Amino acid sequence: MTVSHSPFTATVLGLPRIGPNRELKRAIESYWAGRADAEHLRAVARSLRAAHYAELRAAGMDSVPVGTFSYYDQMLDTAVLFGALPPRVDAISDPLDRYFAAARGTDTVAPLEMTKWFDTNYHYLVPEIDAGTTFALHPDKLLGELAEAIELGVPARPVVIGPLTFLKLAKSADGPALDRLPDLLPLYRELLAGLADAGARWVQLDEPILVTDLTEAEIALVRDTYTELSAASDRPAILVATYFGHPDAALSALADTGIEGVALDFTAGTDPAAVAAVPALARKLVVAGVVDGRNIWRTDLDAALTTLGTLLGSADAVAVASSCSLLHVPYSLTPETGLDDRLRSWLAFGAEKVDEVKVLATAITEGTTAVATELAAARAAAASRRADPRLHDARVRARLTALDESDLTRSPADARRALQHEHLDLPLLPTTTIGSYPQTSAIRLARAALRKGEIDEAEYVRRMRAEIAEVIALQERLGLDVLVHGEPERNDMVQYFAELLDGFAATGNGWVQSYGTRCVRPPILFGDVSRPTPMTLSWIGYAQSLTDKPVKGMLTGPVTILAWSFVRDDQPLADTARQVALAIRDETVGLEAQGARIIQVDEPALRELLPPRASDQPAYLRWSVDAFRLATAGVADTTQVHTHLCYSEFGEVISAIAGLDADVTSIEAARSHMEVLDDLNAAGFALGVGPGVYDIHSPRVPSVEEITASLTAALKAVPAERLWVNPDCGLKTRGPVEVEASLRNLVTAAAALR
Ligand code: GLN
Ligand code: ZN
């Protein structure tokens, strides 16, 4: 069998879709609101795709990914492609509405679950596949986008999630979804034949699952799957793309098959020498991901050329690429006029990454002299970055060097518990909330007015204080035991701190899709981090001045700040984490000095940064736990430290939860029916715990009976002395009426049980 293909030299693995100015977000939301029809939405989508293709062509990409466009999510698109939407949406006849129903739910239909795409901040929809799923090919979207691209003269390379990744990430009610592989593979073959027919020379099958730990049986499946898919002759050349890590044993398995190319992520620890040593790659195209697709730093072109040089000696051909889809970075630096020139010169967003790919491809095809100017500019930028004093704050570094284990350690938990019991004088089963109260339109309007210069800082502070006063009064009225200030001043729980800490910069238009139409603008952590001034003291102090009950100081933890920022790549993440932790520690100490008796440091992202390979996980858990302890261990034993974790399936991080040594941990549990408490007990956890007694993700008001049932279940696993009563998560997305009703029931249930 021979598939005729000529290799390409320069590409990216996938494209963002939300639009350089979030045009798609607006079009989709207008469609949802009934303000625009499907035709308008399609037209916006088409013009965004066309503009993107044109840019990639102009930048010299000789192979262009097609099909990574999505109205919501690529895993959902793959489920549609293979007819694998759950039967509960079948009744919705319009395909677009059915698609959005699967994504977001309706009044009567529950959506697919959503979860993080590997260790990125993108969320995908989890396909539901079980023994009853009947696969059927629906290639219209992909074929349509392919035809459209070919029409535009684009060297189109259709991109599809590969069968192993699709099934491994799906959830199933009855046995592993991967068992359905034999039923799915014929559809992939049919799809490949259809794509070849339609004029595709190459197809890219994304298999990021290959960078996770696979069993030997699964590695065998890799070999069998791609042997089978490559056996056909009526197909495009197959590129299997891996990213976010190194494929290890899966690489040899792939190389043994008849596929024509493999994409590898050299920004995530894949060793070029190890790749060069795989003999079967001598007959393949290696698509070398040397331009980091998920961080925003300018590429070290010399280092990339060294990697490419190693590969050129052994592969049949080498193409230069981004390490993964450009979905994870903002579109372009062009609108970022607010960044200082030096910082700006160190960065590369999507458009600049495409240019870097081209420069590197030119260097290997025509020689480095052809790109001497570009190489010199990259070196100058790197030198300016290395020499910048903001990256080497002697004071921060000296403080960190002076720390030892005692700075991370508090007295034994039991001793603290006794002291805090006296100091706080709380009832049994104390009631509290996670931090935020509804972000009302008054709050959003005030923020917008401040941004537009319609009100001054003093007026903004006045309005936020009015919100705080209301939230305190509400909590007093409800009879909660530990109060919060409600977080009205936080635009976002990470951005708020990034704006106040040294070492961070904010972009003006650096939007990245988080899920669906939700976009975030992650801050850039570029230098040594420190806290020049207090960040929360005046808000918390004001709240405390209004009540005799304890008000929790409320902070975001170091790991979460890292996870939701673009982080510097010139030092280990663990070192950056210590700097952020030290800055947060300064704030905890400041809060305590001001009289705070309880301080909560949220770490909802602790699990997100967990590396995909088990062998890398212990080191991560060590430094992330240490960072939390550094941030929180500077306070007296009488001060109660709380943390909040935003999930209930702890998995590999369960042992770390106890390691955090927080006096009280609030977690999600309402949806997992308190099983999480048994997991915690099994891991030896013996600190205070507040399993969420109702699910804040839905507008439903839980009844007193339901909350009592949750608490009764919790009391089977945890003694009353350790149990706290709180909702699942912050209340910022909920409406004021339902919040008041829900919390009233929560307080009633707790009081009755006491
Ligand atoms: N304190 C934050 C809040 O209540 C925690 C949010 C979170 O866990 N993501 O909003
Ligand atoms: Zn939460």
Side-chain angles (χ1 to χ4, degrees):
M1 184 271 344
T2 51
V3 169
S4 87
H5 68 281
S6 47
F8 49 88
T9 65
T11 194
V12 293
L13 293 195
L15 302 176
R17 49 245 182 175
I18 207 73
N21 292 303
R22 291 179 295 157
E23 294 86 345
L24 186 67
K25 171 193 172 71
R26 270 189 288 276
I28 293 174
E29 289 176 352
S30 300
Y31 176 74
W32 289 344
R35 289 191 306 267
D37 61 10
E39 203 32 61
H40 173 256
L41 178 53
R42 289 195 187 97
V44 170
R46 226 175 1 250
S47 77
L48 284 172
R49 287 191 297 263
H52 221 149
Y53 297 151
E55 275 167 36
L56 290 171
R57 288 295 282 150
M61 300 298 99
D62 57 356
S63 178
V64 168
V66 162
T68 63
F69 174 84
S70 179
Y71 285 119
Y72 207 95
D73 167 55
Q74 69 267 14
M75 281 292 278
L76 177 60
D77 294 349
T78 314
V80 172
L81 173 64
F82 294 111
L85 286 186
R88 63 180 179 275
V89 300
D90 282 355
I92 303 166
S93 57
D94 178 77
L96 192 57
D97 293 339
R98 185 164 58 232
Y99 177 87
F100 285 134
R104 316 163 61 219
T106 66
D107 288 345
T108 51
V109 169
L112 295 179
E113 240 175 60
M114 191 166 70
T115 196
K116 290 259 170 172
W117 180 241
F118 297 86
D119 56 350
T120 73
N121 282 329
Y122 178 77
H123 304 68
Y124 70 93
L125 290 163
V126 183
E128 294 169 18
I129 289 169
D130 47 40
T133 308
T134 5
F135 297 119
L137 195 61
H138 297 283
D140 359 325
K141 170 187 180 286
L142 188 58
L143 289 175
E145 286 174 31
L146 177 60
E148 171 192 85
I150 289 175
E151 174 97 350
L152 292 167
V154 172
R157 184 181 77 248
V159 178
V160 183
I161 306 265
L164 302 169
T165 298
F166 179 61
L167 291 176
K168 277 275 281 184
L169 296 184
K171 76 174 216 185
S172 164
D174 48 13
L178 198 54
D179 291 353
R180 300 297 313 276
L181 188 61
D183 305 311
L184 191 56
L185 278 186
L187 275 72
Y188 270 90
R189 287 186 70 146
E190 192 183 332
L191 176 67
L192 296 188
L195 291 171
D197 257 0
R201 299 288 175 75
W202 280 89
V203 64
Q204 173 182 324
L205 296 174
D206 278 5
E207 292 285 22
I209 202 74
L210 303 190
V211 311
T212 64
D213 293 323
L214 299 181
T215 62
E216 284 197 15
E218 288 168 337
I219 297 282
L221 271 186
V222 173
R223 186 175 281 114
D224 295 350
T225 297
Y226 284 96
T227 301
E228 176 171 344
L229 290 180
S230 58
S233 51
D234 54 341
R235 62 171 180 88
I238 297 174
L239 169 68
V240 175
T242 65
Y243 40 84
F244 304 146
H246 45 99
D248 271 3
L251 178 59
S252 314
L254 277 180
D256 289 343
T257 73
I259 64 168
E260 282 73 17
V262 49
L264 299 166
D265 183 347
F266 290 100
T267 70
T270 304
D271 173 12
V275 170
V278 178
L281 285 178
R283 297 187 301 277
K284 315 234 183 273
L285 170 69
V286 171
V287 176
V290 288
V291 171
D292 192 345
R294 55 185 289 195
N295 209 338
I296 40 63
W297 303 105
R298 196 165 179 158
T299 305
D300 179 341
L301 296 179
D302 293 311
L305 284 172
T306 306
T307 297
L308 293 168
T310 306
L311 300 171
L312 280 166
S314 61
D316 175 45
V318 174
V320 183
S322 61
S323 62
C324 60
S325 168
L326 297 182
L327 177 68
H328 308 287
V329 290
Y331 274 77
S332 161
L333 267 177
T334 307
E336 299 305 332
T337 46
L339 295 173
D340 74 83
D341 288 347
R342 248 181 312 158
L343 171 58
R344 199 170 184 281
S345 78
W346 310 335
L347 302 176
F349 288 0
E352 295 76 27
K353 287 176 189 294
V354 171
D355 291 338
E356 291 182 328
V357 166
K358 179 60 187 170
V359 167
L360 290 166
T362 305
I364 62 176
T365 48
E366 293 169 31
T368 49
T369 41
V371 289
T373 323
E374 289 85 350
L375 292 179
R379 281 179 205 132
S384 127
R385 188 174 165 205
R386 271 194 304 275
D388 196 285
R390 293 171 294 176
L391 277 64
H392 312 276
D393 183 329
R395 228 187 104 258
V396 170
R397 291 179 180 246
R399 286 185 69 199
L400 283 168
T401 318
L403 294 172
D404 60 34
E405 187 61 25
S406 70
D407 297 296
L408 310 190
T409 315
R410 303 181 73 201
S411 302
D414 288 343
R416 299 194 317 252
R417 188 172 12 244
L419 284 170
Q420 291 162 13
H421 184 73
E422 245 171 71
H423 190 61
L424 286 166
D425 192 28
L426 292 170
L428 206 57
L429 306 178
T431 54
T432 191
T433 52
I434 305 302
S436 58
Y437 272 70
Q439 285 263 334
T440 58
S441 54
I443 297 176
R444 277 195 299 268
L445 287 175
R447 202 141 34 238
L450 177 68
R451 208 170 38 240
K452 290 187 218 139
E454 291 162 11
I455 59 171
D456 62 8
E457 187 66 33
E459 171 62 12
Y460 177 73
V461 170
R462 202 191 58 72
R463 293 194 194 176
M464 292 303 119
R465 287 189 163 210
E467 294 288 334
I468 291 174
E470 262 183 51
V471 167
I472 294 288
L474 169 67
Q475 296 171 91
E476 292 260 16
R477 212 159 57 234
L478 290 167
L480 285 149
D481 301 309
V482 171
L483 311 195
V484 296
H485 77 295
E487 305 180 20
E489 79 290 4
R490 312 243 165 124
N491 40 14
D492 171 273
M493 65 185 287
V494 168
Q495 194 185 335
Y496 177 80
F497 291 97
E499 283 169 4
L500 295 169
L501 289 167
D502 278 350
F504 284 86
T507 65
N509 197 46
W511 295 101
V512 177
Q513 187 180 18
S514 171
Y515 61 87
T517 59
R518 176 158 167 81
C519 300
V520 292
R521 219 162 16 124
I524 298 174
L525 194 177
F526 69 92
D528 280 0
V529 174
S530 61
R531 163 192 172 268
T533 50
M535 304 182 285
T536 63
L537 265 48
S538 65
W539 303 117
I540 306 293
Y542 174 66
Q544 185 66 81
S545 76
L546 301 173
T547 177
D548 293 330
K549 296 212 169 145
V551 173
K552 286 194 269 192
M554 194 59 64
L555 303 172
T556 303
V559 180
T560 300
I561 290 181
L562 292 190
W564 297 349
S565 302
F566 289 119
V567 288
R568 59 194 293 185
D569 61 352
D570 60 340
Q571 65 182 23
L573 204 50
D575 294 359
T576 309
R578 279 164 62 79
Q579 294 187 354
V580 178
L582 191 58
I584 299 297
R585 181 187 181 98
D586 290 344
E587 190 73 10
T588 57
V589 170
L591 280 165
E592 183 186 67
Q594 175 180 276
R597 286 165 281 173
I598 304 185
I599 299 171
Q600 178 170 314
V601 178
D602 293 326
E603 281 295 18
L606 185 67
R607 202 185 55 178
E608 289 171 15
L609 280 189
L610 191 74
R613 293 240 181 234
S615 55
D616 300 326
Q617 290 170 0
Y620 163 73
L621 290 174
R622 211 168 310 121
W623 70 249
S624 59
V625 166
D626 279 356
F628 181 88
R629 291 167 64 220
L630 175 55
T632 51
V635 297
D637 291 339
T638 43
T639 300
Q640 193 168 63
V641 172
H642 289 213
T643 190
H644 169 67
L645 308 170
C646 243
Y647 41 87
S648 60
E649 281 151 30
F650 294 119
E652 302 85 342
V653 305
I654 189 117
S655 60
I657 313 289
L660 298 176
D661 200 27
D663 298 301
V664 179
T665 302
S666 64
I667 45 174
E668 249 182 63
R671 284 190 295 183
S672 70
H673 310 293
M674 301 287 163
E675 285 145 21
V676 53
L677 294 175
D678 297 328
D679 297 348
L680 276 173
N681 284 343
F685 184 85
L687 294 144
V689 62
V693 293
Y694 77 89
D695 179 8
I696 63 93
H697 301 91
S698 123
R700 254 186 84 252
V701 173
S703 67
V704 176
E705 293 70 32
E706 271 175 81
I707 297 175
T708 308
S710 287
L711 285 171
T712 314
L715 281 166
K716 294 212 173 77
V718 176
E721 293 66 41
R722 289 209 278 121
L723 189 63
W724 282 67
V725 182
N726 48 256
D728 246 354
C729 195
L731 302 167
K732 60 175 165 261
T733 57
R734 298 272 63 97
V737 176
E738 62 196 71
V739 161
E740 180 159 356
S742 303
L743 292 178
R744 176 164 297 118
N745 291 350
L746 176 146
V747 171
T748 306
L753 271 178
R754 277 174 202 148

mmCIF file of all heavy atoms in Angstrom, residues 433-437 487 490 493 554-555 564 600 602 604 644-646 729-732, ligand 1:
data_model
loop_
_atom_site.group_PDB
_atom_site.id
_atom_site.type_symbol
_atom_site.label_atom_id
_atom_site.label_comp_id
_atom_site.label_asym_id
_atom_site.label_seq_id
_atom_site.Cartn_x
_atom_site.Cartn_y
_atom_site.Cartn_z
ATOM 1 N N THR A 433 -20.075 30.295 54.576
ATOM 2 C CA THR A 433 -20.175 30.212 53.110
ATOM 3 C C THR A 433 -18.771 30.255 52.534
ATOM 4 O O THR A 433 -17.797 30.485 53.258
ATOM 5 C CB THR A 433 -21.019 31.364 52.547
ATOM 6 O OG1 THR A 433 -20.498 32.589 53.065
ATOM 7 C CG2 THR A 433 -22.484 31.220 52.936
ATOM 8 N N ILE A 434 -18.638 30.035 51.248
ATOM 9 C CA ILE A 434 -17.314 29.830 50.655
ATOM 10 C C ILE A 434 -16.617 31.143 50.316
ATOM 11 O O ILE A 434 -15.409 31.178 50.105
ATOM 12 C CB ILE A 434 -17.440 28.924 49.412
ATOM 13 C CG1 ILE A 434 -18.138 27.612 49.761
ATOM 14 C CG2 ILE A 434 -16.094 28.625 48.789
ATOM 15 C CD1 ILE A 434 -17.475 26.801 50.849
ATOM 16 N N GLY A 435 -17.342 32.221 50.236
ATOM 17 C CA GLY A 435 -16.666 33.511 50.039
ATOM 18 C C GLY A 435 -17.469 34.514 49.247
ATOM 19 O O GLY A 435 -17.795 35.592 49.720
ATOM 20 N N SER A 436 -17.818 34.159 48.013
ATOM 21 C CA SER A 436 -18.485 35.159 47.178
ATOM 22 C C SER A 436 -19.990 35.127 47.400
ATOM 23 O O SER A 436 -20.575 34.078 47.667
ATOM 24 C CB SER A 436 -18.164 34.916 45.705
ATOM 25 O OG SER A 436 -18.546 33.630 45.325
ATOM 26 N N TYR A 437 -20.615 36.290 47.278
ATOM 27 C CA TYR A 437 -22.064 36.429 47.219
ATOM 28 C C TYR A 437 -22.415 36.873 45.808
ATOM 29 O O TYR A 437 -21.526 37.166 45.017
ATOM 30 C CB TYR A 437 -22.550 37.389 48.328
ATOM 31 C CG TYR A 437 -22.802 36.616 49.599
ATOM 32 C CD1 TYR A 437 -21.728 36.096 50.316
ATOM 33 C CD2 TYR A 437 -24.085 36.317 50.020
ATOM 34 C CE1 TYR A 437 -21.948 35.307 51.438
ATOM 35 C CE2 TYR A 437 -24.298 35.533 51.146
ATOM 36 C CZ TYR A 437 -23.227 35.025 51.851
ATOM 37 O OH TYR A 437 -23.437 34.225 52.941
ATOM 38 N N GLU A 487 -16.761 39.295 48.564
ATOM 39 C CA GLU A 487 -15.881 39.434 47.391
ATOM 40 C C GLU A 487 -16.421 40.321 46.264
ATOM 41 O O GLU A 487 -16.129 40.060 45.097
ATOM 42 C CB GLU A 487 -15.515 38.050 46.821
ATOM 43 C CG GLU A 487 -14.893 37.113 47.857
ATOM 44 C CD GLU A 487 -14.531 35.738 47.298
ATOM 45 O OE1 GLU A 487 -14.395 35.604 46.064
ATOM 46 O OE2 GLU A 487 -14.379 34.811 48.109
ATOM 47 N N ARG A 490 -13.805 41.663 43.638
ATOM 48 C CA ARG A 490 -12.965 40.756 42.837
ATOM 49 C C ARG A 490 -13.549 40.585 41.437
ATOM 50 O O ARG A 490 -14.598 39.954 41.270
ATOM 51 C CB ARG A 490 -12.868 39.377 43.500
ATOM 52 C CG ARG A 490 -12.550 39.455 44.965
ATOM 53 C CD ARG A 490 -11.247 38.835 45.350
ATOM 54 N NE ARG A 490 -10.903 39.295 46.693
ATOM 55 C CZ ARG A 490 -10.650 38.498 47.734
ATOM 56 N NH1 ARG A 490 -10.676 37.191 47.576
ATOM 57 N NH2 ARG A 490 -10.338 39.009 48.903
ATOM 58 N N MET A 493 -10.937 35.761 40.831
ATOM 59 C CA MET A 493 -10.183 35.440 42.032
ATOM 60 C C MET A 493 -8.667 35.365 41.813
ATOM 61 O O MET A 493 -7.909 35.340 42.786
ATOM 62 C CB MET A 493 -10.722 34.170 42.704
ATOM 63 C CG MET A 493 -10.582 32.906 41.906
ATOM 64 S SD MET A 493 -11.381 31.519 42.754
ATOM 65 C CE MET A 493 -10.243 31.218 44.102
ATOM 66 N N MET A 554 -10.087 36.403 53.040
ATOM 67 C CA MET A 554 -10.328 35.545 51.882
ATOM 68 C C MET A 554 -9.249 35.771 50.825
ATOM 69 O O MET A 554 -9.140 36.863 50.289
ATOM 70 C CB MET A 554 -11.717 35.934 51.344
ATOM 71 C CG MET A 554 -12.314 35.000 50.368
ATOM 72 S SD MET A 554 -12.521 33.337 50.993
ATOM 73 C CE MET A 554 -13.703 33.615 52.303
ATOM 74 N N LEU A 555 -8.456 34.725 50.546
ATOM 75 C CA LEU A 555 -7.337 34.880 49.611
ATOM 76 C C LEU A 555 -7.324 33.735 48.611
ATOM 77 O O LEU A 555 -7.876 32.672 48.870
ATOM 78 C CB LEU A 555 -6.010 34.866 50.381
ATOM 79 C CG LEU A 555 -5.848 35.922 51.482
ATOM 80 C CD1 LEU A 555 -4.575 35.652 52.274
ATOM 81 C CD2 LEU A 555 -5.812 37.321 50.872
ATOM 82 N N TRP A 564 -3.916 29.621 36.801
ATOM 83 C CA TRP A 564 -4.771 30.458 35.969
ATOM 84 C C TRP A 564 -4.038 31.668 35.402
ATOM 85 O O TRP A 564 -4.643 32.652 34.997
ATOM 86 C CB TRP A 564 -6.036 30.847 36.761
ATOM 87 C CG TRP A 564 -6.864 29.642 37.119
ATOM 88 C CD1 TRP A 564 -6.696 28.364 36.640
ATOM 89 C CD2 TRP A 564 -7.957 29.567 38.033
ATOM 90 N NE1 TRP A 564 -7.625 27.512 37.207
ATOM 91 C CE2 TRP A 564 -8.413 28.228 38.059
ATOM 92 C CE3 TRP A 564 -8.610 30.506 38.840
ATOM 93 C CZ2 TRP A 564 -9.472 27.794 38.864
ATOM 94 C CZ3 TRP A 564 -9.681 30.076 39.631
ATOM 95 C CH2 TRP A 564 -10.094 28.741 39.639
ATOM 96 N N GLN A 600 -9.107 32.200 55.014
ATOM 97 C CA GLN A 600 -9.303 31.120 54.037
ATOM 98 C C GLN A 600 -8.425 31.370 52.813
ATOM 99 O O GLN A 600 -8.414 32.460 52.255
ATOM 100 C CB GLN A 600 -10.777 31.071 53.628
ATOM 101 C CG GLN A 600 -11.075 30.014 52.570
ATOM 102 C CD GLN A 600 -12.569 29.842 52.377
ATOM 103 O OE1 GLN A 600 -13.330 29.752 53.336
ATOM 104 N NE2 GLN A 600 -13.003 29.799 51.128
ATOM 105 N N ASP A 602 -7.998 29.847 49.180
ATOM 106 C CA ASP A 602 -8.649 28.925 48.238
ATOM 107 C C ASP A 602 -7.636 28.266 47.308
ATOM 108 O O ASP A 602 -6.773 28.940 46.759
ATOM 109 C CB ASP A 602 -9.640 29.706 47.358
ATOM 110 C CG ASP A 602 -10.832 30.248 48.150
ATOM 111 O OD1 ASP A 602 -11.255 29.568 49.101
ATOM 112 O OD2 ASP A 602 -11.315 31.333 47.795
ATOM 113 N N PRO A 604 -8.749 25.984 44.501
ATOM 114 C CA PRO A 604 -9.595 25.158 43.637
ATOM 115 C C PRO A 604 -8.829 24.495 42.493
ATOM 116 O O PRO A 604 -9.314 23.535 41.922
ATOM 117 C CB PRO A 604 -10.639 26.151 43.109
ATOM 118 C CG PRO A 604 -10.007 27.488 43.249
ATOM 119 C CD PRO A 604 -9.152 27.390 44.478
ATOM 120 N N HIS A 644 -10.417 25.995 50.463
ATOM 121 C CA HIS A 644 -11.558 25.506 49.703
ATOM 122 C C HIS A 644 -11.043 24.838 48.431
ATOM 123 O O HIS A 644 -10.237 25.397 47.709
ATOM 124 C CB HIS A 644 -12.508 26.655 49.363
ATOM 125 C CG HIS A 644 -13.561 26.268 48.374
ATOM 126 N ND1 HIS A 644 -14.556 25.361 48.684
ATOM 127 C CD2 HIS A 644 -13.749 26.624 47.081
ATOM 128 C CE1 HIS A 644 -15.327 25.197 47.613
ATOM 129 N NE2 HIS A 644 -14.861 25.942 46.627
ATOM 130 N N LEU A 645 -11.509 23.625 48.200
ATOM 131 C CA LEU A 645 -11.135 22.885 46.991
ATOM 132 C C LEU A 645 -12.422 22.655 46.225
ATOM 133 O O LEU A 645 -13.434 22.288 46.791
ATOM 134 C CB LEU A 645 -10.484 21.556 47.368
ATOM 135 C CG LEU A 645 -9.328 21.666 48.360
ATOM 136 C CD1 LEU A 645 -8.904 20.286 48.850
ATOM 137 C CD2 LEU A 645 -8.143 22.373 47.729
ATOM 138 N N CYS A 646 -12.351 22.861 44.907
ATOM 139 C CA CYS A 646 -13.579 22.976 44.117
ATOM 140 C C CYS A 646 -14.046 21.677 43.488
ATOM 141 O O CYS A 646 -14.608 21.700 42.415
ATOM 142 C CB CYS A 646 -13.316 23.934 42.993
ATOM 143 S SG CYS A 646 -14.326 25.370 43.099
ATOM 144 N N CYS A 729 -19.765 25.692 47.019
ATOM 145 C CA CYS A 729 -18.804 26.586 46.368
ATOM 146 C C CYS A 729 -19.293 28.020 46.565
ATOM 147 O O CYS A 729 -20.302 28.252 47.248
ATOM 148 C CB CYS A 729 -18.715 26.233 44.877
ATOM 149 S SG CYS A 729 -17.283 26.958 44.035
ATOM 150 N N GLY A 730 -18.579 28.979 45.981
ATOM 151 C CA GLY A 730 -18.970 30.384 46.081
ATOM 152 C C GLY A 730 -20.329 30.633 45.437
ATOM 153 O O GLY A 730 -20.795 29.860 44.605
ATOM 154 N N LEU A 731 -20.952 31.746 45.833
ATOM 155 C CA LEU A 731 -22.335 32.002 45.416
ATOM 156 C C LEU A 731 -22.415 33.075 44.331
ATOM 157 O O LEU A 731 -23.493 33.582 44.047
ATOM 158 C CB LEU A 731 -23.144 32.431 46.650
ATOM 159 C CG LEU A 731 -23.134 31.404 47.788
ATOM 160 C CD1 LEU A 731 -23.679 32.013 49.078
ATOM 161 C CD2 LEU A 731 -23.953 30.166 47.398
ATOM 162 N N LYS A 732 -21.270 33.400 43.705
ATOM 163 C CA LYS A 732 -21.275 34.579 42.835
ATOM 164 C C LYS A 732 -22.143 34.433 41.591
ATOM 165 O O LYS A 732 -22.614 35.423 41.052
ATOM 166 C CB LYS A 732 -19.853 34.980 42.439
ATOM 167 C CG LYS A 732 -19.055 33.941 41.691
ATOM 168 C CD LYS A 732 -17.711 34.537 41.264
ATOM 169 C CE LYS A 732 -16.734 33.469 40.850
ATOM 170 N NZ LYS A 732 -15.784 33.125 41.935
HETATM 171 N N1 GLN B 1 -13.814 32.095 47.554
HETATM 172 C C1 GLN B 1 -14.185 31.836 46.216
HETATM 173 C C2 GLN B 1 -15.660 32.112 45.994
HETATM 174 O O1 GLN B 1 -16.438 31.884 46.869
HETATM 175 C C3 GLN B 1 -13.885 30.416 45.804
HETATM 176 C C4 GLN B 1 -14.242 30.175 44.373
HETATM 177 C C5 GLN B 1 -13.810 28.832 43.823
HETATM 178 O O2 GLN B 1 -13.679 27.889 44.511
HETATM 179 N N2 GLN B 1 -13.609 28.745 42.541
HETATM 180 O O3 GLN B 1 -16.079 32.540 44.963
#
